[in-house]
Coordinates of all heavy atoms in Angstrom, one line a residue:
M64 N 17.6 9.4 -11.5 CA 18.3 8.3 -10.8 C 17.4 7.7 -9.8 O 16.7 8.4 -9.0 CB 19.6 8.9 -10.2 CG 20.4 7.9 -9.6 SD 22.1 8.6 -9.1 CE 21.7 9.1 -7.4
T65 N 17.4 6.4 -9.7 CA 16.6 5.7 -8.7 C 17.4 5.4 -7.5 O 18.5 5.0 -7.5 CB 16.2 4.3 -9.3 OG1 15.5 4.6 -10.6 CG2 15.3 3.6 -8.4
S66 N 16.8 5.8 -6.3 CA 17.5 5.6 -5.1 C 17.4 4.1 -4.6 O 16.6 3.3 -5.2 CB 16.8 6.5 -4.0 OG 15.6 5.9 -3.6
D67 N 18.2 3.8 -3.6 CA 18.2 2.4 -3.1 C 16.8 2.1 -2.5 O 16.3 1.0 -2.7 CB 19.3 2.3 -2.0 CG 19.5 0.9 -1.6 OD1 19.6 0.0 -2.4 OD2 19.5 0.6 -0.4
L68 N 16.2 3.1 -1.9 CA 14.9 2.9 -1.3 C 13.9 2.6 -2.4 O 13.0 1.7 -2.3 CB 14.4 4.1 -0.5 CG 13.0 4.0 0.1 CD1 12.9 2.9 1.1 CD2 12.7 5.3 0.8
D69 N 13.9 3.3 -3.5 CA 13.0 3.1 -4.6 C 13.2 1.6 -5.2 O 12.2 1.0 -5.6 CB 13.2 4.1 -5.7 CG 12.7 5.5 -5.4 OD1 11.8 5.6 -4.5 OD2 13.3 6.5 -5.9
K70 N 14.5 1.2 -5.3 CA 14.7 -0.2 -5.8 C 14.1 -1.2 -4.8 O 13.5 -2.2 -5.3 CB 16.2 -0.4 -5.9 CG 16.8 0.4 -7.1 CD 18.3 0.2 -7.1 CE 19.0 1.1 -8.2 NZ 20.4 1.0 -8.2
Q71 N 14.4 -1.0 -3.5 CA 13.8 -1.9 -2.5 C 12.3 -1.9 -2.6 O 11.7 -3.0 -2.5 CB 14.3 -1.5 -1.1 CG 15.7 -1.8 -0.9 CD 16.2 -1.3 0.5 OE1 15.3 -1.3 1.4 NE2 17.4 -0.9 0.6
F72 N 11.7 -0.8 -2.8 CA 10.2 -0.7 -2.8 C 9.7 -1.4 -4.1 O 8.7 -2.2 -4.0 CB 9.8 0.8 -2.9 CG 8.4 1.1 -3.0 CD1 7.5 0.8 -1.9 CD2 7.8 1.6 -4.2 CE1 6.1 1.0 -2.1 CE2 6.5 1.8 -4.3 CZ 5.6 1.5 -3.2
K73 N 10.4 -1.2 -5.2 CA 10.0 -1.9 -6.4 C 10.1 -3.4 -6.2 O 9.2 -4.2 -6.6 CB 10.8 -1.5 -7.6 CG 10.4 -2.1 -8.9 CD 11.2 -1.6 -10.1 CE 10.8 -2.3 -11.3 NZ 11.6 -2.1 -12.4
E74 N 11.2 -3.9 -5.6 CA 11.3 -5.3 -5.4 C 10.3 -5.9 -4.5 O 9.7 -7.0 -4.7 CB 12.7 -5.6 -4.8 CG 13.9 -5.4 -5.8 CD 15.2 -5.4 -5.2 OE1 15.3 -5.7 -3.9 OE2 16.2 -5.2 -5.9
A75 N 10.0 -5.1 -3.4 CA 8.9 -5.6 -2.5 C 7.6 -5.6 -3.2 O 6.8 -6.6 -3.0 CB 8.9 -4.6 -1.3
F76 N 7.3 -4.6 -4.0 CA 6.0 -4.6 -4.8 C 5.9 -5.8 -5.7 O 4.9 -6.5 -5.7 CB 5.9 -3.3 -5.6 CG 4.7 -3.3 -6.4 CD1 3.4 -3.1 -5.9 CD2 4.8 -3.5 -7.8 CE1 2.3 -3.1 -6.7 CE2 3.7 -3.5 -8.6 CZ 2.4 -3.3 -8.1
E77 N 7.0 -6.1 -6.4 CA 7.0 -7.3 -7.3 C 6.8 -8.6 -6.5 O 6.1 -9.5 -7.0 CB 8.3 -7.3 -8.1 CG 8.3 -6.1 -9.2 CD 9.6 -5.9 -9.9 OE1 10.6 -6.6 -9.5 OE2 9.7 -5.1 -10.8
K78 N 7.5 -8.7 -5.4 CA 7.4 -9.8 -4.5 C 5.9 -10.1 -4.1 O 5.4 -11.2 -4.1 CB 8.3 -9.7 -3.3 CG 8.5 -10.8 -2.5 CD 9.5 -10.4 -1.4 CE 10.1 -11.4 -0.6 NZ 11.0 -10.9 0.5
A79 N 5.3 -9.0 -3.6 CA 3.9 -9.1 -3.1 C 3.0 -9.3 -4.2 O 2.0 -10.1 -4.1 CB 3.5 -7.8 -2.4
S80 N 3.2 -8.7 -5.4 CA 2.3 -8.9 -6.6 C 2.4 -10.3 -7.1 O 1.4 -10.8 -7.7 CB 2.7 -7.9 -7.7 OG 2.5 -6.6 -7.2
A81 N 3.5 -11.0 -6.9 CA 3.7 -12.3 -7.5 C 3.1 -13.4 -6.5 O 3.0 -14.5 -6.9 CB 5.2 -12.6 -7.6
T82 N 2.6 -13.0 -5.4 CA 2.0 -13.9 -4.4 C 0.5 -13.9 -4.6 O -0.1 -12.8 -4.7 CB 2.4 -13.4 -3.0 OG1 3.8 -13.3 -2.9 CG2 1.9 -14.4 -1.9
E83 N -0.1 -15.0 -4.5 CA -1.6 -15.1 -4.6 C -2.2 -14.3 -3.5 O -1.9 -14.5 -2.3 CB -2.0 -16.6 -4.4 CG -3.5 -16.9 -4.6 CD -4.0 -16.5 -5.9 OE1 -3.3 -16.8 -6.9 OE2 -5.1 -16.0 -6.0
Q84 N -3.1 -13.4 -3.8 CA -3.7 -12.5 -2.9 C -4.5 -13.2 -1.8 O -4.6 -12.7 -0.7 CB -4.5 -11.4 -3.6 CG -3.7 -10.3 -4.3 CD -4.5 -9.2 -4.7 OE1 -5.7 -9.1 -4.5 NE2 -3.9 -8.2 -5.3
S85 N -5.1 -14.3 -2.2 CA -5.9 -15.0 -1.2 C -5.1 -15.6 -0.1 O -5.7 -16.0 0.9 CB -6.7 -16.1 -1.9 OG -5.8 -17.1 -2.5
S86 N -3.8 -15.6 -0.2 CA -2.9 -16.1 0.9 C -2.7 -15.0 2.0 O -2.2 -15.3 3.0 CB -1.6 -16.6 0.4 OG -0.9 -15.6 -0.2
F87 N -3.1 -13.8 1.7 CA -3.0 -12.7 2.7 C -4.3 -12.5 3.4 O -5.4 -12.4 2.8 CB -2.6 -11.4 2.0 CG -1.3 -11.4 1.3 CD1 -1.2 -10.9 0.0 CD2 -0.1 -11.8 1.9 CE1 0.1 -10.8 -0.6 CE2 1.1 -11.7 1.3 CZ 1.2 -11.3 0.0
P88 N -4.3 -12.2 4.7 CA -5.5 -11.9 5.4 C -6.0 -10.5 4.9 O -5.1 -9.7 4.5 CB -5.1 -11.8 6.9 CG -3.8 -12.5 7.0 CD -3.1 -12.4 5.6
P89 N -7.2 -10.2 5.0 CA -7.8 -8.9 4.5 C -7.1 -7.7 5.2 O -6.9 -6.7 4.5 CB -9.3 -9.0 4.9 CG -9.6 -10.4 5.0 CD -8.3 -11.1 5.5
D90 N -6.8 -7.8 6.4 CA -6.1 -6.6 7.1 C -4.7 -6.3 6.5 O -4.3 -5.2 6.4 CB -6.1 -6.7 8.6 CG -5.3 -7.9 9.1 OD1 -5.4 -9.0 8.5 OD2 -4.5 -7.8 10.0
I91 N -4.0 -7.4 6.1 CA -2.7 -7.2 5.5 C -2.9 -6.6 4.1 O -2.1 -5.7 3.7 CB -1.9 -8.5 5.4 CG1 -1.7 -9.1 6.9 CG2 -0.7 -8.4 4.6 CD1 -0.8 -8.2 7.7
L92 N -3.8 -7.1 3.4 CA -4.1 -6.5 2.0 C -4.4 -5.0 2.1 O -3.9 -4.2 1.3 CB -5.2 -7.2 1.3 CG -4.9 -8.6 0.8 CD1 -6.2 -9.3 0.3 CD2 -3.9 -8.5 -0.3
L93 N -5.2 -4.6 3.1 CA -5.5 -3.2 3.3 C -4.3 -2.4 3.6 O -4.1 -1.3 3.1 CB -6.6 -3.0 4.3 CG -8.0 -3.4 3.9 CD1 -9.0 -3.3 5.1 CD2 -8.5 -2.5 2.8
R94 N -3.4 -2.9 4.5 CA -2.2 -2.2 4.9 C -1.3 -2.1 3.7 O -0.7 -1.0 3.4 CB -1.5 -2.9 6.0 CG -2.3 -2.7 7.3 CD -1.8 -3.5 8.5 NE -0.3 -3.3 8.7 CZ 0.5 -4.1 9.4 NH1 0.0 -5.3 9.8 NH2 1.7 -3.8 9.6
L95 N -1.1 -3.2 2.9 CA -0.3 -3.1 1.7 C -0.8 -2.0 0.7 O -0.1 -1.2 0.2 CB -0.3 -4.5 1.0 CG 0.6 -5.5 1.7 CD1 0.3 -6.9 1.0 CD2 2.0 -5.2 1.6
Y96 N -2.1 -2.0 0.5 CA -2.8 -1.1 -0.4 C -2.5 0.4 0.1 O -2.1 1.2 -0.7 CB -4.3 -1.3 -0.5 CG -5.0 -0.3 -1.2 CD1 -5.1 -0.3 -2.6 CD2 -5.6 0.8 -0.6 CE1 -5.7 0.7 -3.4 CE2 -6.3 1.8 -1.3 CZ -6.3 1.7 -2.7 OH -7.0 2.7 -3.4
A97 N -2.7 0.6 1.4 CA -2.6 1.9 2.0 C -1.2 2.4 1.9 O -0.9 3.6 1.4 CB -3.1 2.0 3.4
Y98 N -0.2 1.6 2.3 CA 1.2 2.0 2.2 C 1.6 2.3 0.7 O 2.3 3.2 0.4 CB 2.1 1.0 2.8 CG 2.1 0.9 4.3 CD1 2.0 -0.3 5.0 CD2 2.1 2.1 5.1 CE1 2.0 -0.3 6.3 CE2 2.1 2.0 6.4 CZ 2.0 0.8 7.1 OH 2.0 0.8 8.4
Y99 N 1.1 1.4 -0.2 CA 1.5 1.6 -1.6 C 0.9 2.9 -2.1 O 1.6 3.7 -2.8 CB 0.9 0.4 -2.5 CG 1.3 0.6 -3.9 CD1 2.5 0.3 -4.4 CD2 0.4 1.2 -4.8 CE1 2.9 0.4 -5.7 CE2 0.7 1.4 -6.1 CZ 1.9 1.0 -6.6 OH 2.3 1.2 -7.9
K100 N -0.4 3.2 -1.8 CA -1.0 4.4 -2.3 C -0.3 5.6 -1.7 O 0.0 6.6 -2.4 CB -2.5 4.5 -2.0 CG -3.3 3.5 -2.8 CD -3.3 3.8 -4.2 CE -4.4 4.8 -4.6 NZ -4.6 4.9 -6.0
Q101 N 0.1 5.6 -0.4 CA 0.7 6.7 0.2 C 2.1 6.9 -0.3 O 2.6 8.0 -0.5 CB 0.8 6.5 1.8 CG 1.2 7.7 2.5 CD 0.2 8.9 2.5 OE1 -1.0 8.7 2.1 NE2 0.6 10.0 2.8
A102 N 2.8 5.8 -0.6 CA 4.1 5.9 -1.2 C 4.1 6.4 -2.6 O 5.1 7.1 -3.0 CB 4.8 4.5 -1.2
T103 N 3.1 6.2 -3.4 CA 3.1 6.6 -4.8 C 2.2 7.8 -5.0 O 2.5 8.5 -6.0 CB 2.5 5.4 -5.7 OG1 1.2 5.1 -5.2 CG2 3.5 4.2 -5.6
K104 N 1.3 8.1 -4.2 CA 0.4 9.3 -4.4 C 0.5 10.3 -3.3 O 0.0 11.4 -3.4 CB -1.1 8.8 -4.5 CG -1.4 7.8 -5.6 CD -1.4 8.4 -6.9 CE -1.8 7.4 -7.9 NZ -1.7 7.9 -9.3
G105 N 1.0 9.9 -2.1 CA 1.0 10.9 -1.0 C -0.4 11.2 -0.5 O -1.2 10.3 -0.5
D106 N -0.6 12.4 -0.1 CA -1.9 12.8 0.5 C -2.8 13.3 -0.6 O -3.8 14.0 -0.3 CB -1.7 14.0 1.5 CG -1.1 13.5 2.8 OD1 -1.2 12.3 3.1 OD2 -0.6 14.3 3.6
N107 N -2.6 12.9 -1.8 CA -3.4 13.3 -2.9 C -4.6 12.3 -3.1 O -4.6 11.5 -4.0 CB -2.6 13.4 -4.3 CG -1.6 14.5 -4.2 OD1 -1.9 15.6 -3.8 ND2 -0.4 14.1 -4.6
F108 N -5.5 12.3 -2.1 CA -6.6 11.3 -2.0 C -7.6 11.6 -3.1 O -7.9 12.7 -3.4 CB -7.3 11.4 -0.6 CG -6.3 11.3 0.5 CD1 -6.0 12.3 1.3 CD2 -5.7 10.1 0.8 CE1 -5.2 12.2 2.4 CE2 -4.9 9.9 1.9 CZ -4.6 11.0 2.7
S109 N -8.1 10.5 -3.6 CA -9.2 10.5 -4.5 C -10.1 9.3 -4.3 O -9.6 8.2 -4.1 CB -8.8 10.6 -6.0 OG -8.1 9.4 -6.3
F110 N -11.4 9.5 -4.3 CA -12.3 8.4 -4.0 C -13.5 8.6 -5.0 O -14.1 9.7 -5.1 CB -12.8 8.5 -2.6 CG -13.8 7.4 -2.2 CD1 -13.4 6.1 -2.1 CD2 -15.1 7.6 -2.0 CE1 -14.3 5.0 -1.8 CE2 -16.0 6.6 -1.7 CZ -15.6 5.3 -1.6
N111 N -13.8 7.5 -5.7 CA -14.9 7.5 -6.6 C -16.2 7.1 -5.8 O -16.4 5.9 -5.6 CB -14.7 6.6 -7.8 CG -15.7 6.7 -8.8 OD1 -16.7 7.3 -8.7 ND2 -15.5 6.0 -9.9
A112 N -17.0 8.0 -5.4 CA -18.2 7.8 -4.6 C -19.2 7.0 -5.4 O -20.1 6.4 -4.8 CB -18.8 9.0 -4.0
I113 N -19.1 7.0 -6.7 CA -20.1 6.3 -7.5 C -20.0 4.8 -7.3 O -21.0 4.1 -7.4 CB -19.9 6.7 -9.0 CG1 -20.2 8.2 -9.2 CG2 -20.8 5.9 -9.9 CD1 -19.9 8.7 -10.6
E114 N -18.8 4.3 -7.1 CA -18.6 2.9 -6.9 C -19.5 2.3 -5.8 O -20.0 1.2 -5.9 CB -17.1 2.5 -6.7 CG -16.3 2.8 -8.0 CD -14.9 2.4 -7.7 OE1 -14.6 1.6 -6.9 OE2 -14.0 3.0 -8.5
Q115 N -19.5 3.0 -4.7 CA -20.3 2.6 -3.5 C -20.3 1.2 -3.1 O -21.3 0.6 -2.9 CB -21.8 3.0 -3.8 CG -22.0 4.5 -3.9 CD -23.5 4.9 -4.0 OE1 -24.3 4.0 -4.0 NE2 -23.7 6.1 -4.2
D116 N -19.1 0.6 -3.1 CA -19.0 -0.7 -2.6 C -18.1 -0.7 -1.4 O -17.3 0.2 -1.2 CB -18.5 -1.7 -3.7 CG -17.0 -1.4 -4.1 OD1 -16.1 -1.8 -3.4 OD2 -16.9 -0.7 -5.1
Y117 N -18.3 -1.7 -0.5 CA -17.6 -1.7 0.8 C -16.1 -1.9 0.6 O -15.3 -1.3 1.3 CB -18.1 -2.8 1.6 CG -19.5 -2.5 2.1 CD1 -20.6 -3.3 1.8 CD2 -19.8 -1.5 3.0 CE1 -21.9 -3.1 2.2 CE2 -21.1 -1.2 3.5 CZ -22.1 -2.0 3.1 OH -23.3 -1.7 3.5
R118 N -15.7 -2.6 -0.4 CA -14.3 -2.9 -0.6 C -13.6 -1.6 -0.9 O -12.5 -1.3 -0.3 CB -14.1 -3.9 -1.7 CG -12.7 -4.3 -2.0 CD -12.6 -5.4 -3.0 NE -11.2 -5.9 -3.1 CZ -10.6 -5.9 -4.3 NH1 -11.2 -5.5 -5.4 NH2 -9.3 -6.3 -4.3
S119 N -14.1 -0.8 -1.8 CA -13.5 0.5 -2.1 C -13.4 1.4 -1.0 O -12.5 2.2 -0.7 CB -14.2 1.2 -3.3 OG -14.1 0.4 -4.5
A120 N -14.5 1.4 -0.2 CA -14.6 2.3 1.0 C -13.5 1.9 2.0 O -12.9 2.7 2.6 CB -16.0 2.3 1.6
F121 N -13.4 0.6 2.3 CA -12.4 0.1 3.2 C -11.0 0.5 2.8 O -10.1 0.9 3.6 CB -12.5 -1.4 3.4 CG -13.6 -1.8 4.4 CD1 -14.6 -2.6 4.0 CD2 -13.5 -1.4 5.7 CE1 -15.6 -3.0 4.8 CE2 -14.5 -1.8 6.6 CZ -15.6 -2.6 6.2
K122 N -10.7 0.3 1.5 CA -9.4 0.6 0.9 C -9.1 2.1 1.1 O -8.0 2.5 1.5 CB -9.3 0.2 -0.6 CG -9.2 -1.3 -0.8 CD -9.5 -1.7 -2.2 CE -8.5 -1.2 -3.2 NZ -8.7 -1.8 -4.5
F123 N -10.1 3.0 0.7 CA -9.9 4.4 0.9 C -9.7 4.8 2.3 O -8.8 5.6 2.7 CB -11.1 5.1 0.3 CG -10.9 6.6 0.3 CD1 -10.1 7.3 -0.5 CD2 -11.6 7.4 1.3 CE1 -9.9 8.7 -0.5 CE2 -11.5 8.8 1.3 CZ -10.6 9.4 0.5
N124 N -10.4 4.2 3.2 CA -10.3 4.5 4.6 C -8.9 4.1 5.2 O -8.3 4.8 5.9 CB -11.4 3.8 5.5 CG -11.3 4.1 6.9 OD1 -11.3 5.3 7.3 ND2 -11.2 3.1 7.8
A125 N -8.4 3.0 4.7 CA -7.0 2.5 5.1 C -6.0 3.5 4.6 O -5.1 3.9 5.4 CB -6.7 1.1 4.6
W126 N -6.2 4.0 3.4 CA -5.2 5.0 2.9 C -5.3 6.3 3.6 O -4.3 6.9 4.0 CB -5.5 5.1 1.4 CG -4.6 6.1 0.7 CD1 -3.3 6.5 1.0 CD2 -4.9 6.8 -0.6 NE1 -2.8 7.4 0.1 CE2 -3.8 7.6 -0.9 CE3 -6.0 6.7 -1.4 CZ2 -3.7 8.4 -2.1 CZ3 -5.9 7.5 -2.6 CH2 -4.8 8.3 -2.9
I127 N -6.5 6.8 3.8 CA -6.6 8.1 4.4 C -6.1 8.2 5.9 O -5.7 9.2 6.4 CB -8.1 8.6 4.3 CG1 -8.1 10.2 4.3 CG2 -8.9 8.1 5.4 CD1 -9.4 10.8 3.9
Q128 N -6.1 7.0 6.5 CA -5.5 7.0 7.9 C -4.0 7.2 7.9 O -3.4 7.5 9.0 CB -5.8 5.6 8.5 CG -7.3 5.4 8.9 CD -7.5 4.1 9.5 OE1 -6.7 3.5 10.2 NE2 -8.7 3.5 9.2
L129 N -3.4 7.2 6.8 CA -1.9 7.5 6.7 C -1.6 8.9 6.3 O -0.5 9.3 6.0 CB -1.3 6.5 5.6 CG -1.4 5.0 5.9 CD1 -0.7 4.2 4.8 CD2 -0.8 4.7 7.3
K130 N -2.7 9.7 6.3 CA -2.5 11.2 6.0 C -1.4 11.8 6.8 O -1.3 11.6 8.0 CB -3.8 11.9 6.3 CG -3.7 13.4 5.9 CD -5.0 14.1 6.1 CE -4.9 15.5 5.7 NZ -6.1 16.2 5.8
G131 N -0.5 12.5 6.1 CA 0.6 13.1 6.7 C 1.9 12.3 6.7 O 3.0 12.8 7.0
M132 N 1.8 11.0 6.5 CA 3.0 10.1 6.4 C 3.7 10.5 5.1 O 3.1 10.6 4.0 CB 2.6 8.6 6.4 CG 3.8 7.7 6.2 SD 3.3 6.0 6.2 CE 3.2 5.6 7.9
S133 N 5.0 10.6 5.1 CA 5.8 11.0 4.0 C 5.8 9.8 3.0 O 5.6 8.6 3.4 CB 7.2 11.3 4.3 OG 8.0 10.2 4.8
E134 N 6.1 10.0 1.7 CA 6.1 9.0 0.8 C 7.3 8.0 1.1 O 7.2 6.8 0.9 CB 6.2 9.5 -0.6 CG 5.0 10.2 -1.1 CD 5.0 10.9 -2.4 OE1 5.9 10.6 -3.2 OE2 4.2 11.8 -2.7
E135 N 8.4 8.6 1.6 CA 9.6 7.8 1.9 C 9.2 6.9 3.1 O 9.6 5.7 3.0 CB 10.7 8.7 2.3 CG 12.0 8.0 2.7 CD 13.1 8.9 3.1 OE1 13.6 9.6 2.2 OE2 13.5 9.0 4.3
E136 N 8.6 7.4 4.1 CA 8.2 6.5 5.3 C 7.2 5.4 4.8 O 7.3 4.3 5.3 CB 7.6 7.4 6.4 CG 7.3 6.6 7.6 CD 8.6 6.0 8.3 OE1 9.7 6.6 8.1 OE2 8.4 5.0 9.0
A137 N 6.3 5.8 3.9 CA 5.3 4.8 3.5 C 6.1 3.7 2.7 O 5.7 2.5 2.8 CB 4.3 5.4 2.6
K138 N 7.1 4.0 1.9 CA 7.8 3.0 1.2 C 8.6 2.1 2.2 O 8.6 0.9 2.0 CB 8.9 3.7 0.3 CG 8.3 4.3 -1.0 CD 9.3 5.0 -1.8 CE 8.6 5.6 -3.0 NZ 9.6 6.3 -3.9
K139 N 9.1 2.7 3.2 CA 9.8 1.9 4.2 C 8.9 0.9 4.9 O 9.2 -0.2 5.2 CB 10.5 2.8 5.3 CG 11.7 3.6 4.7 CD 12.3 4.5 5.8 CE 13.4 5.3 5.2 NZ 13.9 6.3 6.2
E140 N 7.7 1.4 5.3 CA 6.7 0.6 6.0 C 6.2 -0.5 5.0 O 6.0 -1.7 5.5 CB 5.5 1.4 6.5 CG 5.9 2.3 7.6 CD 6.4 1.6 8.9 OE1 5.8 0.5 9.2 OE2 7.3 2.0 9.5
Y141 N 6.0 -0.2 3.8 CA 5.6 -1.2 2.8 C 6.6 -2.3 2.7 O 6.3 -3.5 2.8 CB 5.4 -0.6 1.4 CG 4.8 -1.5 0.4 CD1 3.5 -1.6 0.2 CD2 5.7 -2.3 -0.4 CE1 3.0 -2.5 -0.8 CE2 5.2 -3.1 -1.4 CZ 3.8 -3.2 -1.6 OH 3.3 -4.1 -2.5
I142 N 7.9 -1.9 2.6 CA 9.0 -2.9 2.5 C 9.0 -3.8 3.7 O 9.2 -5.0 3.7 CB 10.3 -2.2 2.2 CG1 10.3 -1.5 0.9 CG2 11.5 -3.1 2.4 CD1 11.4 -0.5 0.7
K143 N 8.9 -3.1 4.9 CA 9.0 -3.9 6.1 C 7.8 -4.9 6.3 O 8.0 -6.0 6.7 CB 8.9 -2.9 7.3 CG 9.2 -3.5 8.7 CD 9.0 -2.6 9.9 CE 9.3 -1.2 9.7 NZ 9.1 -0.3 10.9
L144 N 6.6 -4.5 5.8 CA 5.5 -5.3 5.9 C 5.7 -6.5 5.0 O 5.4 -7.7 5.4 CB 4.2 -4.6 5.6 CG 2.9 -5.4 5.6 CD1 2.7 -6.0 7.0 CD2 1.7 -4.4 5.2
V145 N 6.0 -6.3 3.8 CA 6.3 -7.4 2.8 C 7.3 -8.3 3.3 O 7.1 -9.6 3.3 CB 6.6 -6.8 1.4 CG1 7.1 -7.9 0.5 CG2 5.5 -6.1 0.7
N146 N 8.4 -7.8 3.8 CA 9.5 -8.7 4.3 C 9.0 -9.5 5.5 O 9.5 -10.6 5.8 CB 10.7 -7.9 4.6 CG 11.4 -7.4 3.3 OD1 11.2 -8.0 2.2 ND2 12.2 -6.4 3.4
S147 N 8.1 -8.9 6.3 CA 7.7 -9.7 7.5 C 6.7 -10.8 7.2 O 6.6 -11.8 7.9 CB 7.0 -8.7 8.5 OG 5.8 -8.3 8.1
I148 N 5.9 -10.6 6.1 CA 4.9 -11.7 5.7 C 5.4 -12.6 4.7 O 4.9 -13.7 4.6 CB 3.6 -11.0 5.3 CG1 3.8 -10.1 4.1 CG2 2.9 -10.4 6.5 CD1 2.5 -9.5 3.6
L149 N 6.4 -12.2 3.9 CA 7.0 -13.1 2.8 C 8.4 -13.3 3.1 O 9.3 -12.6 2.6 CB 6.8 -12.5 1.5 CG 5.3 -12.3 1.0 CD1 5.3 -11.5 -0.3 CD2 4.6 -13.6 0.9
K150 N 8.7 -14.2 3.9 CA 10.1 -14.5 4.3 C 10.8 -15.4 3.4 O 10.3 -16.2 2.7 CB 10.2 -15.1 5.7 CG 9.6 -14.1 6.7 CD 9.6 -14.6 8.1 CE 9.0 -13.6 9.0 NZ 8.7 -13.9 10.3

């Protein structure tokens, strides 16, 4: 059974995904990425050091800063962020 929070999270994800990424500032993209990863993966961090590009490192760093945040809280923050930037 899908909870109301899960439905809202899915809707927010679809809303953000349908928006041209270039319309978001880089810091917002990183926050969206981090909240999404925390909401879907929790503290199960994985980083492919072979990639060695700055973009991947920034994304991983943004995610790891949310260590300890519950998946539920990350979903709430993701929804709140999407709703604040896409009115």
Side-chain angles (χ1 to χ4, degrees):
M64 186 168 90
T65 305
S66 73
D67 189 47
L68 179 61
D69 290 331
K70 289 178 187 173
Q71 290 176 28
F72 178 70
K73 183 180 179 191
E74 288 170 5
F76 174 74
E77 290 171 354
K78 189 180 195 182
S80 297
T82 305
E83 182 65 39
Q84 285 192 2
S85 63
S86 64
F87 296 131
D90 62 316
I91 297 295
L92 285 173
L93 285 173
R94 288 173 53 203
L95 286 170
Y96 174 84
Y98 287 135
Y99 180 83
K100 290 296 272 190
Q101 191 66 16
T103 59
K104 304 284 187 187
D106 286 342
N107 298 312
F108 304 110
S109 62
F110 181 70
N111 185 355
I113 295 172
E114 290 181 25
Q115 295 184 1
D116 64 83
Y117 290 116
R118 185 172 184 237
S119 295
F121 279 116
K122 287 167 63 175
F123 182 73
N124 183 51
W126 179 22
I127 207 165
Q128 289 181 35
L129 300 181
K130 183 178 182 178
M132 178 182 278
S133 72
E134 293 176 20
E135 181 178 290
E136 185 63 27
K138 286 178 183 179
K139 290 177 183 176
E140 291 298 321
Y141 184 91
I142 294 164
K143 189 186 324 179
L144 180 58
V145 168
N146 289 336
S147 73
I148 57 177
L149 297 176
K150 298 176 182 171

